[in-house]
Amino acid sequence: MTDTPDAVFAALHKAAAAAHGAKLFTVTVMDRAAGLVRRGYTSHPVEYPTTATKKMGGNGSEWSDLVIGRGQPFIANTTPEFARYFADHETITAIGCASAMNIPVLKGGQVVGTVNILDKENHFTPQVAADFVALVEAHRPALLAAMAQVPMGDAA
């Protein structure tokens, strides 16, 4: 593979923005064996840098059960719908986002990362959500290769 992770993630970001808009776009990579997670790409490097690797949070929330446990997308079309799961909801709102979609990326039936798209309130209609899921699936081979290249390092 000749494309860098940044190039792969940026191409998906560009495609998502062109399809339906993506005010905030990030890609998160997981190393389940090490219990680490890292933001591998961000459209907002000041608010959401890619420099830190964190220990994975505990399972048990509805969000983690849905996205990480079952490999299904999470959709919240208003801030109150995602605020209880996202401690950074005030930052998200300050950027101008009031809806969120997290799309798991699976390898061998296991989630290895997520594509995270945030935008205006009520952005994720059933059709928009389906289009984003299809877009991520179409890019999955390149995403998996790029995610495998993201250095995890030590947890901060």
Side-chain angles (χ1 to χ4, degrees):
M1 167 136 196
T2 58
D3 288 334
T4 66
D6 277 347
V8 171
F9 300 147
L12 180 57
H13 175 200
K14 183 177 179 180
H20 294 291
K23 197 172 282 187
L24 172 60
F25 185 96
T26 66
V27 176
T28 303
V29 180
M30 298 170 51
D31 180 341
R32 286 174 168 252
L36 299 174
V37 63
R38 181 179 196 139
R39 192 175 298 107
Y41 177 86
T42 181
S43 62
H44 286 69
V46 171
E47 297 89 345
Y48 293 101
T50 60
T51 55
T53 300
K54 301 186 298 185
K55 292 202 177 280
M56 289 175 61
N59 291 332
S61 78
E62 292 174 32
W63 184 93
S64 64
D65 289 345
L66 178 71
V67 178
I68 307 305
R70 296 191 307 234
Q72 296 177 356
F74 170 81
I75 299 170
N77 271 308
T78 65
T79 301
E81 290 178 70
F82 65 73
R84 63 183 171 162
Y85 303 114
F86 302 165
D88 60 339
H89 60 88
E90 291 177 354
T91 303
I92 292 168
T93 302
I95 291 171
C97 298
S99 65
M101 182 172 188
N102 307 115
I103 306 166
V105 179
L106 286 83
K107 179 180 180 181
Q110 190 170 58
V111 176
V112 295
T114 60
V115 173
N116 312 295
I117 305 167
L118 295 88
D119 210 291
K120 66 185 183 287
E121 188 169 86
N122 296 314
H123 186 67
F124 300 102
T125 65
Q127 186 60 58
V128 168
D131 289 349
F132 279 136
V133 168
L135 185 65
V136 169
E137 183 57 27
H139 285 80
R140 192 164 65 84
L143 271 173
L144 289 173
M147 287 175 159
Q149 295 178 55
V150 172
M152 294 306 283
D154 294 327

